[in-house]
Each structure stands twice: as structure tokens, then as C-alpha cells.
Amino acid sequence: MTSDALPARPDATDEVVDLCRDLLRIDTTNTGDNDTSVGERRAAEYVAEKLAEAGVDAEIHESAPGRANVVARIPGTEPGRDALLVHGHLDVVPADPDEWSVHPFSGEIRDGYLWGRGAIDMKDFDAMVLAVVRGWQRAGVRPRRDIVLAFTADEEAGSDYGAHFLTQRHRDLFDGCTEAIGEVGGFSYSVDEQRRLYLIETAEKGIDWLRLHAKGRPGHGSMMHDDNAVTALAEAVARIGRHRFPVVMTDTVRAFLAEVSDVLGIEIDPDDPETAIAKLGPIANIIGATIRNTANPTRLAAGYKDNVIPGRATATIDCRSLPGQSEELERQLRELVGPDIAIEYVQRQPALETTFDGDLVAGMSAALRAEDPGAHPVPYMLSGGTDAKAFSRLGIRCFGFAPLRLPADLNFSGLFHGIDERVPLDGLQFGVRVLDRFLRTC
């Protein structure tokens, strides 16, 4: 059966819920520390087993004990064509069960949703890909071009043990790959009952994670003290946390706002894009973060006893830079913290940006419209970062395309790294149908 055959049988859309549920029940918490991160090897073995059942040979590559990645290649019917990389990470950020309505690793089904840490970041996409590939095996389908599958570790802590390890140590696995799809793209935003924007990621901000270090004179907590490292650090952190960086309009954001202006019938002032962005409801937080550099304090550390003034204090700042803005962001930060605070980069990975054109974009758009006649695909910039930063270093053109049709009232952006993360069951099944159409013909 060739790629021109009828769509895969409905059992692929049925199976995706079970596959995603199984993955959610594997705790793959990535703390950023090898000693306390868990579950990636178990998840990788699960993925490899499900691929093997579909006749796909998969290799597990460990970068450190337990930090496991899975890579497989599905040969296409047209071997002269460039290959497509489909990548998803298996790790998740930590979750505190006391904050959740359900246990974050229960994979509970409730109110039409599948709940759990990783439900939308990004075990939903991992499950969709597995469901599509397993559906192809049952139906005898082969894609037109080679499809390289990569299920990675460590994306949530910078990808050193995942995508960067693979591209540096196993580059040959991606031979022939010129384009890629991954997370946080292809999701819907409802304009009205008939029309939905589908945001396809063509750009993402840079990762500029850094630590601030303050030094002072140690001393007794009961005495007058004018050289306190904690005070100096706290003042610098407050300046950063309250600072509003200037608006910088990139090509991707301009293109997105132009599409929004047309579809919503609203005029957008390029000198005041925030007024229009505020009208975008659930996606306003993501889009609002893509018109400027951002810097958010996330951690503080100082001291070792209640009555001792420490000589050192540190803070972690999660900074995200727009394309071409990393050096400017550093200049702005150094001006904010002053000369007495040292800056140390923990992660520094560049922003990415590509254009919204070409056969791959046409294929994504066609697959969305085939499953949702009210679909209006648009380019957008992700406020965070993905494994695309590693794969782009191989010259691969990267997109975010993990299709989901979402309820109009769902605060999708608020679920990322938040509590009660969940994915709609019919959204998962929609994603399988879209991916099936796209991957077999792209």
C-alpha cells in the first residue's frame, strides 16, 4: 500500500489515548541534576518497544546512566528525497502532587481530558507519532520520504544529555535531514465558532539562563553592616524583575500580527502591538513575550545560618532573547545589575527564525484544513526554546508542528509547566489524523 492510499484506520486515533496515558504514568522528572532526574531510560525502552512492534528498528543512545534517547529511521518510497526529522522529548519538569487536582503521574481521564505532567509538554506529541507509525504498520503504509524519529532526554534542562548529545556524538543518524517538526506549534486559537487560527512555530526565542553572584563582607547578624551580599543581590534581582524591556518587532511577529489583523478585522498599531495582543485571550501570554526580551528571577541562594551574614549570594535568572538580541540583552542586564554583581551564563543558546513558506508549510496547512475546514494556519514565535536549537546546528530548518484542536475556553499557554496539565482527548485524536495526512505525503 502506497502513500496515496486511504487514511489509516481509526484504530490509530483510538490507540493514541492509551499510548499517551502509558507515557504519562512513567515519571520522567528532569530536575537538572543527574542524581535526581528519573525515568528517561524506562520511557525510552517503552518507545523502542512500541516501535519494534510496528516493525521499526530503534536504537537507544545513553549520554549518561539513565539519560536515554531513542532514534529510528523509516525508509520512504522515494529514496532520493531529503529526510524529515520528527522529534519529541520524553522528560518533564517537576510536579508537586499537593498542588494538583489529580496525581500528576496518574494519567487520569476526567471531563474529556487526559491529565498528567507532560500531557501537552510533550508526551501528547510523542504518543501521536507512535500512534501514526503503528497505524501505518497495520495498514501497510510507507511515507514518501525518509522519516527520522528522535525521542530525546533532557530538553527541560537545556538538552545537553539529549538533542545536543545526539547531534554532537551521533550526527550520522540525521544524514539527509533538511527539515524538522517538533513541539509547540499547530495548536488552535478560536476566532469564532467557524474559524480557528493554527499557530505554526517558525521562530523561537534564545535561551540565556544566567546566575548573578554578589560578594560582601561576612559578619554577625546582630551588628550594623553596610557590605551585605544578600542586600546587594536582592536589589539587583528586584531591578531585573521589575524591568520592562523595549519592544522589538521581528519578521515573524510582524507576519503573525498581520494575519491576526486580517482575520480578526482589527487594526494593529506597530508602535503599540500590546493593545492588540491583549485581545488574544489564552495565547496573549505567549505572544506578548515575543515582542521583547524577557528576564525572570527564578531562584535565590545565600547563607548557612540565621545569625551569620554570608559573604556570597546567588540568583538564577531565566532570560529569553529575541533573534539577534542576545548581546543587546546582556548589555541591558549588565546596566541593570551594576558593576559589583558578576554574571555567569548557565545556558546560552541562540534564537531561531525561518520563513513561513515552502512545500513543508504547504503540507502542514493542507493537512490542517483537511481535518478542520475553518483552519487558518499562521506563523508565530515561541516564547520558550526547544530541541530545535540543537538540530538547527546541523543545518536543519525547524518548525513547531504538534497539531491540536483545542477548546475555545482552554488556557493552553497556562498549562505549560503549570498545575493540572491536561490535553483534550479529541484534540489528541485530531492530532493523529493531521499528522497521518501530513507525514505520509510531505
Side-chain angles (χ1 to χ4, degrees), residues 191-245:
V191 177
D192 51 40
E193 291 185 2
Q194 286 75 40
R195 298 177 299 165
R196 278 155 296 281
L197 299 179
Y198 282 85
L199 281 65
I200 296 175
E201 185 208 309
T202 59
E204 60 183 48
K205 294 178 80 174
I207 296 175
D208 301 81
W209 295 343
L210 54 85
R211 288 200 180 99
L212 305 182
H213 298 275
K215 294 181 180 180
R217 187 179 71 254
H220 199 290
S222 68
M223 299 182 184
M224 300 294 292
H225 205 90
D226 59 1
D227 188 17
N228 191 314
V230 175
T231 301
L233 180 75
E235 289 172 343
V237 168
R239 287 194 295 272
I240 289 176
R242 294 193 179 104
H243 185 71
R244 196 81 159 171
F245 293 90

Side-chain angles (χ1 to χ4, degrees), residues 2-179:
T2 68
S3 60
D4 294 324
L6 295 172
R9 294 180 297 179
D11 54 358
T13 58
D14 295 335
E15 187 181 35
V16 70
V17 175
D18 291 333
L19 292 168
C20 191
R21 194 176 194 183
D22 287 349
L23 287 169
L24 292 176
R25 287 174 170 173
I26 302 173
D27 180 353
T28 54
T29 297
N30 184 357
T31 63
D33 181 348
N34 280 1
D35 292 335
T36 54
S37 295
V38 298
E40 288 172 339
R41 176 79 197 196
R42 184 180 166 203
E45 290 172 348
Y46 174 88
V47 168
E49 177 185 348
K50 292 302 177 183
L51 290 173
E53 290 173 359
V56 177
D57 293 329
E59 297 179 350
I60 295 178
H61 299 271
E62 273 197 340
S63 52
R67 311 308 300 269
N69 304 273
V70 184
V71 182
R73 183 181 289 258
I74 302 173
T77 58
E78 301 173 12
R81 299 188 64 205
D82 293 332
L84 175 71
L85 171 62
V86 179
H87 62 93
H89 63 86
L90 295 171
D91 63 319
V92 299
V93 296
D96 182 352
D98 292 338
E99 297 178 333
W100 285 56
S101 301
V102 304
H103 194 283
F105 300 107
S106 65
E108 183 170 332
I109 294 176
R110 180 193 292 187
D111 301 328
Y113 288 85
L114 179 57
W115 298 59
R117 174 61 85 216
I120 51 97
D121 187 14
M122 61 171 298
K123 291 179 177 178
D124 58 337
F125 182 67
D126 297 332
M128 289 180 209
V129 173
L130 289 175
V132 168
V133 171
R134 288 166 63 83
W136 286 355
Q137 191 273 340
R138 289 188 290 265
V141 171
R142 285 180 60 192
R144 293 175 57 193
R145 65 200 291 188
D146 281 12
I147 304 291
V148 175
L149 307 177
F151 299 86
T152 62
D154 198 38
E155 190 274 345
E156 296 292 3
S159 307
D160 288 345
Y161 294 96
H164 285 301
F165 164 77
L166 290 174
T167 56
Q168 292 165 11
R169 299 283 296 276
H170 299 280
R171 185 183 183 123
D172 59 303
L173 295 172
F174 308 102
D175 284 350
C177 290
T178 58
E179 297 169 310

Side-chain angles (χ1 to χ4, degrees), residues 366-420:
L368 286 168
R369 293 190 184 105
E371 293 298 331
D372 181 1
H376 188 99
V378 298
Y380 94 108
M381 180 185 295
L382 175 65
S383 59
T386 74
D387 279 338
K389 296 190 185 307
F391 296 121
S392 68
R393 294 182 179 182
L394 301 182
I396 297 173
R397 187 183 184 207
C398 296
F399 296 87
F401 186 65
L404 283 173
R405 179 167 172 174
L406 301 169
D409 60 349
L410 180 67
N411 182 8
F412 183 61
S413 64
L415 297 177
F416 284 86
H417 298 189
I419 62 171
D420 289 343

